[in-house]
Amino acid sequence: MKKTDSERLDALKKRQDQLKAKISAIEAKAATQVRKEDTRLKVLVGAALLADAKLHADTVNFLRSVLPRAVVAQRDRDFLQAKGWLSGEPPAIDKQP
């Protein structure tokens, strides 16, 4: 039996909905991966800078020059201030390697 135009249209719309759902799932997975990689990069770079700051005062000075410009959220600024990174006090890092 030959399908009517209405039946073919319904079938195509159903397929379109299925494809849209698959596209959305793939896009969501890709966005999640991008966020994970961004977080990993921040953790690795931050850890490397903190490790180097334990050994080199130049790194501490560099970070103290960058942090006031780069950190804008008040909550984060308060945290860094409490840890000594936005003040004249020595930052809260362990100087032992």
Side-chain angles (χ1 to χ4, degrees):
M1 174 187 275
K2 191 173 183 179
K3 289 186 179 182
T4 67
D5 286 344
S6 178
E7 291 171 330
R8 283 193 303 245
L9 186 58
D10 287 343
L12 287 172
K13 285 182 180 182
K14 181 179 177 182
R15 180 69 178 140
Q16 181 183 33
D17 290 342
Q18 291 170 340
L19 289 173
K20 283 182 181 180
K22 284 184 179 182
I23 290 169
S24 292
I26 291 170
E27 288 174 343
K29 186 176 179 180
T32 298
Q33 185 63 31
V34 167
R35 282 191 305 278
K36 284 181 181 180
E37 289 177 3
D38 184 55
T39 299
R40 183 176 184 201
L41 176 64
K42 289 174 184 176
V43 168
L44 291 172
V45 170
L49 286 169
L50 288 173
D52 197 67
K54 289 180 183 180
L55 304 173
H56 305 285
D58 289 346
T59 304
V60 172
N61 294 333
F62 168 73
L63 288 172
R64 282 191 162 169
S65 71
V66 171
L67 290 172
R69 295 188 310 259
V71 179
V72 295
Q74 190 59 48
R75 176 177 172 239
D76 296 334
R77 292 180 70 79
D78 292 344
F79 175 78
L80 291 172
Q81 180 76 33
K83 294 296 184 179
W85 284 99
L86 295 180
S87 66
E89 301 172 18
I93 58 173
D94 183 12
K95 289 289 186 179
Q96 298 173 3

